[in-house]
Amino acid sequence: AQSVTQLDSQVPVFEEAPVELRCNYSSSVSVYLFWYVQYPNQGLQLLLKYLSGSTLVKGINGFEAEFNKSQTSFHLRKPSVHISDTAEYFCAVSDRTGANNLFFGTGTRLTVIP
Amino acid sequence: EPEVTQTPSHQVTQMGQEVILRCVPISNHLYFYWYRQILGQKVEFLVSFYNNEISEKSEIFDDQFSVERPDGSNFTLKIRSTKLEDSAMYFCASGRGEVTEAFFGQGTRLTVV
């Protein structure tokens, strides 16, 4: 079974500062990894995903994440945040062996302070 | 840009009543999903649907729940006899492949009173 841990429930950060949202996972099999963003009153939108290949993945809105197999991590980073990045961010994993459902973390609320 | 649409956005129902949550997935997608998010908790997988049958379901998806794709465009989640603990945001999602990007709808907030 898979599980996802997002250690930080809330992350406040000043506008134009860098941010890192942490995600660790556990799984007995290889996984696919995802970051989703949820803006207020909206659904979940995919930011980026890691399926295979380069461990550094670039997504939309200037976000990137790095897959670290030895540390079982998939942290999300952005070098300079904007007010519009204020949202809830969810890390998720999916079993590579054929299961097609996503296991989500509890989410990190990113608040960008002007 | 095509998107997954869910109706209604908010539904209030009395305990014990049946509810049907509706979703229109993206037209060329083949895989369909329901997730739920109880307030303050993580998003949880309920069920996946492919080729007109359930391909996987979680422990949450008990006999009170059912899914249907009645007309080739809609994808519905039915809860036969709602309980207070069914109150949650329910998300529909669809995808082209078995493990590819899942596109989520905006959700239906179900409140059971």
Side-chain angles (χ1 to χ4, degrees):
Chain A
Q2 296 82 38
S3 69
V4 177
T5 301
Q6 292 182 248
L7 289 171
D8 306 305
S9 59
Q10 296 187 56
V11 173
V13 63
F14 286 104
E15 192 174 13
E16 297 184 4
V19 69
E20 179 179 82
L21 306 184
R22 296 181 291 169
C23 172
N24 289 90
Y25 69 92
S26 66
S27 175
S28 57
V29 299
S30 296
V31 296
Y32 298 116
L33 294 156
F34 305 81
W35 274 99
Y36 280 84
V37 60
Q38 184 179 27
Y39 298 104
N41 301 315
Q42 295 189 27
L44 298 167
Q45 180 183 4
L46 182 71
L47 271 179
L48 47 77
K49 61 187 175 188
Y50 172 78
L51 303 181
S52 65
S54 172
T55 57
L56 182 63
V57 180
K58 294 190 183 298
I60 63 172
N61 300 340
F63 284 93
E64 65 179 31
E66 186 156 19
F67 169 55
N68 188 318
K69 188 175 182 179
S70 63
Q71 296 186 6
T72 61
S73 68
F74 191 55
H75 300 333
L76 181 71
R77 294 191 291 260
K78 186 170 182 177
S80 175
V81 295
H82 301 130
I83 295 291
S84 58
D85 293 323
T86 294
E88 190 89 18
Y89 291 80
F90 294 94
C91 181
V93 301
S94 178
D95 186 342
R96 281 174 173 262
T97 61
N100 53 8
N101 62 69
L102 296 169
F103 291 87
F104 283 85
T106 50
T108 297
R109 174 77 180 166
L110 173 64
T111 301
V112 180
I113 304 164
Chain B
E1 186 176 331
E3 59 182 17
V4 176
T5 57
Q6 291 184 242
T7 56
S9 58
H10 190 189
Q11 179 152 2
V12 181
T13 187
Q14 286 194 324
M15 190 170 55
Q17 295 297 304
E18 175 184 285
V19 294
I20 298 176
L21 308 183
R22 303 182 189 280
C23 169
V24 179
I26 295 173
S27 62
N28 62 348
H29 286 184
L30 302 175
Y31 292 82
F32 313 107
Y33 313 89
W34 283 101
Y35 290 80
R36 79 171 185 189
Q37 183 182 27
I38 295 173
L39 188 63
Q41 298 185 26
K42 64 174 66 178
V43 177
E44 301 171 291
F45 169 76
L46 292 178
V47 65
S48 58
F49 192 86
Y50 170 71
N51 200 26
N52 286 321
E53 62 183 21
I54 291 173
S55 51
E56 192 162 352
K57 60 183 179 179
S58 70
E59 293 177 352
I60 303 167
F61 195 87
D62 60 22
D63 292 341
Q64 292 297 314
F65 292 89
S66 62
V67 290
E68 198 176 39
R69 191 159 159 77
D71 56 12
S73 62
N74 290 286
F75 180 51
T76 62
L77 174 69
K78 181 192 289 186
I79 309 174
R80 288 189 184 82
S81 178
T82 50
K83 304 186 284 286
L84 293 176
E85 54 264 38
D86 292 328
S87 294
M89 181 73 88
Y90 288 80
F91 292 106
C92 173
S94 68
R96 281 186 294 270
E98 188 172 21
V99 185
T100 57
E101 176 180 354
F103 290 79
F104 283 78
Q106 293 185 329
T108 292
R109 179 165 295 285
L110 176 66
T111 302
V112 182
V113 296

